C-alpha cells in the first residue's frame, strides 16, 4: 500500500500517542478508590477501563505498525 509520507507519519504519531498516553491513564484508574471494592477485588469500573486500555493499545500498535510499513514499503 502506498500513502503520502505525511499520512504515514501521522499514523506513526497517532499510534505512538496511544502507546504513551493509555498506560499512564490506566495507572491513574488503578489508584482510583472506585477500582477496588472493600475486599480488594477489581470492580466493574476497573475492568471496563482495563478493556478500554488494552483495546486502545492494540489499535495504537496496529496504527503505528501500518504507518511504519507504509514509510519503508
Amino acid at each position: 500500500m502506498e500513502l503520502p509520507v505525511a499520512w504515514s507519519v501521522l499514523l506513526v504519531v497517532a499510534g505512538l500517542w496511544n502507546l504513551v498516553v493509555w498506560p499512564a491513564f490506566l495507572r491513574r484508574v488503578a489508584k482510583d478508590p472506585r477500582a477496588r471494592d472493600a475486599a480488594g477485588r477489581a470492580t466493574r469500573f476497573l475492568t471496563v477501563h482495563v478493556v478500554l486500555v488494552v483495546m486502545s493499545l492494540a489499535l495504537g500498535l496496529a496504527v503505528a505498525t501500518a504507518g511504519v510499513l507504509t514509510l519503508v514499503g
Side-chain angles (χ1 to χ4, degrees):
M1 175 186 337
E2 291 185 29
L3 282 177
V5 172
W7 284 105
S8 297
V9 170
L10 178 65
L11 289 174
V12 171
V13 170
L16 291 176
W17 173 262
N18 279 294
L19 295 173
V20 169
V21 170
W22 284 105
F25 175 76
L26 183 58
R27 283 190 294 274
R28 286 192 310 273
V29 167
K31 291 178 185 176
D32 191 295
R34 297 171 289 178
R36 304 260 175 209
D37 63 13
R41 293 180 303 237
T43 61
R44 288 183 183 172
F45 174 83
L46 181 58
T47 304
V48 165
H49 284 88
V50 167
V51 170
L52 174 68
V53 170
V54 169
M55 292 303 299
S56 295
L57 289 174
L59 290 171
L61 183 60
V63 168
T65 301
V68 169
L69 291 175
T70 58
L71 280 173
V72 298

